[in-house]
Amino acid sequence: MPRKTPRTSPGRREDGATTKAQILEAAGGVFAEKGFDRATGKEIAERAGSNSAAVNYYYGGIEGLYTAVLIEAHRRLLTYDKLVALAEGPGDAVGKLETLIGQIARTIIGPASSSWALRVLSREILSPSPAFPALVQQEILPKKLVVTGIIGEILGLAHDDPVVTRCALNIIAPFAMLLVGNKQIFTRILPGINSGGLEAQEAMVQHFQRFAIAGLMATATALQSDNH
């Protein structure tokens, strides 16, 4: 007699994963618009086409949901796996840094700049929430070690050398400013920043790359002069 295959509830696991992802996506939009303090689990659940209990079931409450959204937002800016693959891949450190700067710049000044992910990060930077330490531990610090490793290789210094730290700040600062700055104010004060289409955006990317690398080369030259 043929052995019967046990029946399973079709799609239950997939439906659960879909619901969880829908809640995260809806929450990203709500948090981007209203911030963590003014968002409610009810509004998020309604936007996700779910019920309020789902927020607690999948994320343990709105605090856990916000932490998940914040971490996902940072991953959409740059994933750790892609960063490590770049750092460990072929090519010299200068080329790797240029590629990294290009990836981040295109995300921040390109079409993705209007996404909820960047707006959530912008809000968090301006007004850190209780979830910020989790973001630092899970995303920012691991990625920082990779980036400072690349910069240190260019300068011939350890990743935690103060000179490397200062250079990292110089490279990151323009992106942080573009992330949190008001675009209308930027346009009025520096009208050339957000003008034009893809060609203008690529000119911005190349400028960020050129400026960062030139600064690192000047720093490396100064270090050599100081050691002689």
Side-chain angles (χ1 to χ4, degrees):
M1 190 172 177
R3 188 174 180 177
K4 292 183 179 180
T5 303
R7 293 187 64 185
T8 58
S9 298
R12 179 178 295 175
R13 186 171 299 174
E14 290 78 1
D15 288 346
T18 299
T19 300
K20 185 176 182 180
Q22 288 172 339
I23 292 172
L24 183 81
E25 202 67 30
V30 174
F31 288 134
E33 295 166 14
K34 298 187 173 183
F36 171 67
D37 293 335
R38 293 190 295 128
T40 66
K42 180 180 179 182
E43 181 179 3
I44 291 168
E46 288 176 351
R47 190 175 294 195
S50 186
N51 56 68
S52 298
V55 172
N56 291 327
Y57 178 78
Y58 289 108
Y59 294 99
I62 195 165
E63 293 85 2
L65 175 56
Y66 181 71
T67 300
V69 165
L70 198 57
I71 289 171
E72 175 63 20
H74 206 275
R75 288 175 180 170
R76 292 189 184 188
L77 176 62
L78 177 68
T79 68
Y80 178 76
D81 289 344
K82 287 185 178 180
L83 181 56
V84 170
L86 172 65
E88 296 180 350
D92 62 7
V94 170
K96 292 173 183 178
L97 185 60
E98 286 180 333
T99 299
L100 174 60
I101 291 172
Q103 290 175 353
I104 296 175
R106 290 184 184 96
T107 299
I108 292 178
I109 67 178
S113 61
S114 60
S115 71
W116 64 254
L118 296 189
R119 286 183 289 153
V120 165
L121 288 174
S122 174
R123 281 183 173 273
E124 185 66 21
I125 292 170
L126 290 172
S127 181
S129 72
F132 189 69
L135 177 66
V136 171
Q137 287 298 125
Q138 295 184 43
E139 295 296 321
I140 295 177
L141 289 182
K143 293 171 184 174
K144 186 212 75 170
L145 287 176
V146 180
V147 174
T148 53
I150 295 173
I151 296 172
E153 185 178 347
I154 294 173
L155 297 175
L157 299 172
H159 72 90
D160 56 353
D161 189 285
V163 175
V164 173
T165 301
R166 291 194 290 270
C167 289
L169 177 61
N170 285 135
I171 293 169
I172 294 169
F175 301 122
M177 182 62 71
L178 288 174
L179 191 61
V180 303
N182 184 296
K183 289 186 177 181
Q184 292 181 340
I185 294 175
F186 267 145
T187 301
R188 292 183 63 184
I189 298 175
L190 302 169
I193 280 190
N194 290 319
S195 63
L198 185 60
E199 185 175 344
Q201 290 176 6
E202 282 302 308
M204 282 278 288
V205 171
Q206 292 173 15
H207 171 78
F208 285 134
Q209 292 169 325
R210 187 182 307 115
F211 208 83
I213 298 304
L216 287 174
M217 293 300 101
T219 301
T221 300
L223 289 172
Q224 291 175 356
S225 297
D226 292 341
N227 292 329
H228 289 88

